[in-house]
Amino acid sequence: MTNLTYHYPFTNPPLPYAYQALEPYIDEKTMKLHHDRHLQTYVDNLNKALADYSRFHNWTLEQLIYNIASLPEEIQTAVRNNGGGVYNHLLYFTGLAPASNQMPTGALADAIRREYGSLDAFLKKFKEAALSVFGSGYAWLVVAADGSLMITTTKNQDTPLPLGLCPVFNLDVWEHAYYLKHYNLRADYIDDLFHVINWEQAGQRYMACFQIQ
């Protein structure tokens, strides 16, 4: 779950599992580079963008992203790109877990069956969405304003938050997330990642979406 009090100066929290814990689906070297270098760069750049703007130092990460248009124009792009990079990566990393044959349960499982018919049908549509992202971006499972489940995509480090969508989990399709192991075979990466979705976490996020609506 995201930390609702997470604010400047931002830090890069450790992974909730060992770097090699997602093998053979995601390799240790990719996890080290992805977390320790790519995410750390977004954290550092977000702190740099906000350093001279103390009035925003007590704003949470979500407040910053929701209110991009309220920020000084000169830092809007930096906060959108780097704040989004931090938010998206935190959801991505905590949304994964060592392979344990997890399946969605409870209310989330019921919602998936209601919206998509079955888990397999949902995963097929989610994979199609992830493959449709041109260049870099994310595929998301979100809760829409009417409470229904929805699959959507974003480009670069944009988030679905400003659209009033509540994230359940996301899939990073930037090449740095998979290129060392899967090369240019994004479809293979997606298939492997489905083995390590943290469905327990996704279920908790799903229920949390209704608490904040």
Side-chain angles (χ1 to χ4, degrees):
M1 305 286 284
T2 52
N3 182 349
L4 298 181
T5 64
Y6 188 54
H7 60 78
Y8 180 94
F10 294 95
T11 58
N12 186 359
L15 290 172
Y17 39 76
Y19 292 108
Q20 72 275 16
L22 304 183
E23 291 187 345
Y25 303 107
I26 303 179
D27 60 290
E28 178 180 2
K29 187 172 184 180
T30 292
M31 293 303 294
K32 285 183 175 179
L33 292 172
H34 199 174
H35 177 270
D36 294 1
R37 297 194 184 183
H38 288 282
L39 174 52
Q40 187 64 55
T41 297
Y42 288 118
V43 169
D44 293 343
N45 287 340
L46 179 59
N47 285 333
K48 181 179 179 181
L50 294 170
D52 296 331
Y53 296 86
S54 59
R55 63 189 182 277
F56 302 115
H57 286 182
N58 65 339
W59 283 29
T60 67
L61 181 59
E62 290 189 352
Q63 285 178 307
L64 290 167
I65 293 171
Y66 272 118
N67 297 284
I68 290 289
S70 300
L71 301 176
E73 185 175 355
E74 62 270 21
I75 63 170
Q76 287 183 15
T77 298
V79 173
R80 177 182 295 107
N81 292 341
N82 295 290
V86 175
Y87 181 88
N88 294 345
H89 280 98
L90 291 180
L91 260 71
Y92 173 74
F93 288 129
T94 59
L96 304 177
S100 59
N101 297 315
Q102 277 195 27
M103 299 284 284
T105 60
L108 177 57
D110 292 341
I112 289 173
R113 284 193 295 268
R114 184 167 58 249
E115 296 289 340
Y116 301 101
S118 68
L119 178 61
D120 286 344
F122 160 72
L123 293 175
K124 180 180 178 181
K125 288 186 177 295
F126 195 86
K127 181 178 179 179
E128 290 171 355
L131 289 172
S132 76
V133 176
F134 181 78
S136 300
Y138 292 79
W140 301 79
L141 179 65
V142 299
V143 175
D146 64 1
S148 63
L149 279 180
M150 173 181 168
I151 296 170
T152 191
T153 62
T154 56
K155 63 180 181 180
N156 300 321
Q157 293 296 353
D158 291 350
T159 81
L161 295 180
L163 302 176
L165 303 173
C166 181
V168 176
F169 70 82
N170 64 355
L171 192 158
D172 186 343
V173 293
W174 283 64
E175 286 189 343
H176 65 237
Y178 62 89
Y179 208 83
L180 290 180
K181 176 176 175 62
H182 297 91
Y183 303 104
N184 62 323
L185 302 177
R186 182 187 289 185
D188 289 356
Y189 157 68
I190 296 167
D191 288 339
D192 275 353
L193 189 133
F194 285 159
H195 289 278
V196 291
I197 293 174
N198 187 339
W199 284 112
E200 180 180 1
Q201 176 78 280
Q204 292 173 8
R205 287 180 180 156
Y206 175 71
M207 295 305 298
C209 287
F210 295 95
Q211 296 170 14
I212 64 175
Q213 285 185 349

